[in-house]
Amino acid sequence: MRCLAVHLPRLSTDRLSRKSAPSPDEAEAPFAVWAKLGGAERLTAVDVRAEAAGLVPGMAVADARAMRPALRLAEADLKADAELLGRIADWCRRFTPLAAADPPNGLLLDISGAAHLFGGEAALLAEVERRLATQGFAARGAIAPGPALARALARFSRRRHVAEGASGEELEAIAAGLPIAALDLDAAARQRLDRAGLRSLGDLLARPRAPLTARLGEEAMARLDAIACRRREPISPRFEAPDFMAERRFPEGLTRQEDIERTLRGLARELCLLLERHGVGARELEAVFYRVDGAVAHIETGTSRPLRDPDTIALLLRERLAVLAEEGLDTGYGYDVLRLGAARVERCDAPQEDLGLGKIDLAGRENARENAHDARLDDLVDRLGARLGPRRVLRAYPQASHIPELAVALRPASGPAPAAVEEAAPPPYLRAGVPARPLRLFERPEPIEAVALTPDGPPLRFRWRRLLHELAAYEGPERIAPQWWSAPENAATRDYFYVEDREGGRFWLFREELLGRESRPPRWFVHGLF
């Protein structure tokens, strides 16, 4: 494993300096961030001028002001620092998909197999530092076989690079030169070790292990072993790297949307070749855009079926990109890295080819037609989901209930169908050939004024939304009783009528309450339209 650690010693002051530049009168004044620690106001970060003036983190604010009356101060905001560190870690994914934040002011990158893309490890280290400095961050990095050793070197050593293939003895010798502070012990433990004359990791590595474990604890010893590369310590990347990925880099950033779409089409073709080689299709796609100035944009989309058709993938991405453009696609100085990955894949068998026998297989032709229809419907669902959001594209599934508003459940169309739906027989009103109920009911039945020839008969006319409807025909009633095992006490029986007025309008009406059998007088509602 090869790990690149980055230390951002002035993350807090750099964040505030990037956010708002000081006035010309204050530009030369030292700047520091403070927080209340243990009941006292102390400096937590200082900029380069404050450091040159002798101010250091941990110093009391009163003492700092006494030393430098012109000192500019700002209160610490740990949440903003953590959010910024997360964004920087996202930006670092341009170098490797395995990038992690190392709070409170560090980054860890697994660069195994990635350094050669940037001209080698030394060139990659210089590139990371240069680009962070361009964005206004003081950064210092180091590369080592393990994250703990790389982190310690970035913070406490002048050594920046441990060559690949270094032996265990060489790694222990490098670790031995680091100070005790590399273990991140609390102040009391550091003082005890200092009083005992133990000031470097080499002093600890040379001593018997059992007394040190009793004095420092298992966690500190595990940290010591990790720095000496005696044990492997993986990093936890901020995002899992997709198994299948394609990317393009540009010396000059892309700013035009048509260029971005063209690049995405090319990436889709490369990605589909990878997917086809492994016999899988994408179910979730993620495109990441790295801007020259450090901003990162993501677009994600799901698919209803395993997909590896580049044209269809490009179409989905174009829909998502259009949404991003409507919200304001800020390309700034341009995107210099575009990456497309399949975040989730499923097995995808190749379609059956025509054997060319010349026989007319009607059953096979019908199956092919159905499969093509299903594929077109899935593509439509995916495009609508890409444009509107997958949770807004719903599909109706029948439920085991005779209550009309409970007989259908809406679920995301891109998700799998409930298992119970495939096994359940369709309800009678769907088996008759002609729908006896509206395809979509009103969210709430709307009350109407109806006149009936007999108290329990069909209506002759009714008034709905201020319009009077004279009936020309009717069919019914279909009596639907409440679900006695779950209905509330005031639930009433309904008599449904399928009616048609003289203008040709068709309605689904119901009368609530049975005359003489239930307590309230009957009321009429319209529940849907045909």
Side-chain angles (χ1 to χ4, degrees):
M1 177 182 183
R2 302 295 292 171
C3 183
L4 191 157
V6 181
H7 182 212
L8 304 167
R10 303 189 181 96
L11 180 67
S12 300
T13 54
D14 290 343
R15 175 179 62 81
L16 294 169
S17 298
R18 280 163 39 98
K19 187 176 179 181
S20 60
S23 64
D25 296 338
E26 298 177 336
E28 298 301 321
F31 177 51
V33 174
W34 67 275
K36 188 167 285 187
L37 303 174
E41 294 180 350
R42 296 188 178 278
L43 303 185
T44 58
V46 296
D47 73 350
V48 64
R49 290 187 178 84
E51 185 175 353
L55 307 182
V56 295
M59 179 181 287
V61 171
D63 296 340
R65 275 183 168 154
M67 291 176 60
R68 299 292 170 184
L71 176 66
R72 292 186 297 120
L73 287 167
E75 188 171 2
D77 186 343
L78 299 181
K79 182 179 178 183
D81 289 346
E83 290 175 352
L84 176 60
L85 187 63
R87 290 198 295 272
I88 298 175
D90 282 351
W91 172 82
C92 282
R93 293 175 66 205
R94 62 186 294 127
F95 302 108
T96 169
L98 300 174
D102 180 25
N105 55 3
L107 303 164
L108 292 173
L109 282 66
D110 185 348
I111 59 169
S112 305
H116 69 281
L117 300 174
F118 303 90
E121 292 183 344
L124 173 58
L125 178 59
E127 177 76 0
V128 172
E129 291 179 339
R130 183 186 67 79
R131 284 183 173 267
L132 286 172
T134 303
Q135 298 175 41
F137 296 106
R140 191 173 192 281
I143 295 178
L149 179 57
R151 182 179 186 276
L153 292 177
R155 284 167 165 75
F156 304 104
S157 175
R158 293 183 178 179
R159 184 160 192 152
R160 313 285 303 282
H161 187 209
V162 178
E164 198 169 0
S167 66
E169 292 76 11
E170 291 171 330
L171 296 175
E172 289 207 8
I174 294 170
L178 293 168
I180 293 292
L183 288 179
D184 288 338
L185 300 175
D186 56 54
R190 288 201 304 270
Q191 289 176 1
R192 287 199 302 272
L193 293 176
D194 189 60
R195 285 197 296 269
L198 304 176
R199 296 184 175 83
S200 71
L201 299 189
D203 296 335
L204 302 182
L205 291 169
R207 281 180 169 57
R209 189 175 182 88
L212 285 176
T213 304
R215 182 178 292 271
L216 301 177
E218 292 286 351
E219 185 177 350
M221 297 309 295
R223 186 72 180 162
L224 178 63
D225 290 341
I227 293 176
C229 294
R230 291 176 175 174
R231 59 187 288 266
R232 292 293 179 185
E233 189 180 55
I235 68 173
S236 300
R238 185 171 167 83
F239 297 100
E240 289 295 332
D243 292 332
F244 304 96
M245 188 174 62
E247 73 172 26
R248 294 272 176 86
R249 295 175 180 270
F250 303 92
E252 302 293 334
L254 298 181
T255 56
R256 299 194 311 164
Q257 185 169 342
E258 50 267 34
D259 293 336
I260 297 172
E261 291 180 0
R262 189 182 306 113
T263 304
L264 286 177
R265 282 198 298 274
L267 291 176
R269 285 193 289 272
E270 294 179 18
L271 180 65
C272 288
L273 289 176
L274 288 174
L275 296 175
E276 185 176 1
R277 196 176 303 158
H278 291 81
V280 296
R283 289 300 306 269
E284 290 181 4
L285 294 159
E286 180 194 39
V288 189
F289 308 88
Y290 296 90
R291 220 166 63 183
V292 174
D293 61 356
V296 182
H298 299 255
I299 59 173
E300 299 171 351
T301 186
T303 64
S304 300
R305 59 192 169 94
L307 195 62
R308 63 175 182 229
D309 176 52
D311 294 335
T312 306
I313 290 178
L315 203 58
L316 288 178
L317 295 173
R318 193 173 70 179
E319 294 286 353
R320 292 293 298 136
L321 194 62
V323 174
L324 195 64
E326 290 173 1
E327 296 172 353
L329 180 62
D330 183 9
T331 57
Y333 292 104
Y335 297 117
D336 60 344
V337 179
L338 269 66
R339 181 178 293 163
L340 176 63
R344 186 165 67 91
V345 298
E346 287 183 5
R347 176 180 171 181
C348 179
D349 296 325
Q352 178 69 49
E353 299 291 342
D354 185 6
L355 298 179
L357 300 178
K359 294 179 64 176
I360 300 176
D361 184 356
L362 296 180
R365 183 174 299 177
E366 186 63 28
N367 290 335
R369 189 177 295 118
E370 291 180 0
N371 292 337
H373 175 269
D374 292 344
R376 287 196 298 272
L377 180 60
D378 288 340
D379 291 344
L380 174 62
V381 168
D382 293 342
R383 290 188 61 188
L384 291 173
R387 168 66 71 162
L388 306 173
R391 293 188 177 182
R392 294 181 178 176
V393 184
L394 305 175
R395 181 175 291 176
Y397 292 100
Q399 302 294 303
S401 175
H402 64 279
I403 304 298
E405 54 267 39
L406 302 180
V408 171
L410 297 176
R411 298 176 183 275
S414 59
V421 171
E422 298 179 355
E423 299 174 358
Y429 59 87
L430 291 181
R431 282 181 289 180
V434 178
R437 294 181 179 178
L439 292 179
R440 186 168 184 179
L441 300 177
F442 294 160
E443 187 173 355
R444 294 177 183 275
E446 299 186 9
I448 58 175
E449 300 171 7
V451 176
L453 186 62
T454 59
D456 58 349
L460 293 177
R461 65 182 67 88
F462 67 91
R463 187 180 299 278
W464 177 54
R465 295 180 180 177
R466 299 183 179 180
L467 292 180
L468 184 64
H469 299 268
E470 296 283 349
L471 296 197
Y474 78 92
E475 183 178 318
E478 177 190 4
R479 179 156 295 175
I480 298 178
Q483 296 180 151
W484 56 268
W485 61 92
S486 62
E489 292 183 358
N490 59 353
T493 304
R494 300 174 182 177
D495 279 345
Y496 275 90
F497 292 90
Y498 166 45
V499 304
E500 182 173 340
D501 67 7
R502 292 180 180 175
E503 283 72 32
R506 292 178 294 171
F507 306 84
W508 205 40
L509 311 181
F510 72 85
R511 181 182 54 231
E512 195 177 65
E513 306 285 346
L514 298 181
L515 183 66
R517 293 173 57 184
E518 294 178 340
S519 57
R520 292 172 295 188
R523 297 181 299 168
W524 285 90
F525 297 87
V526 57
H527 206 170
L529 307 176
F530 290 92

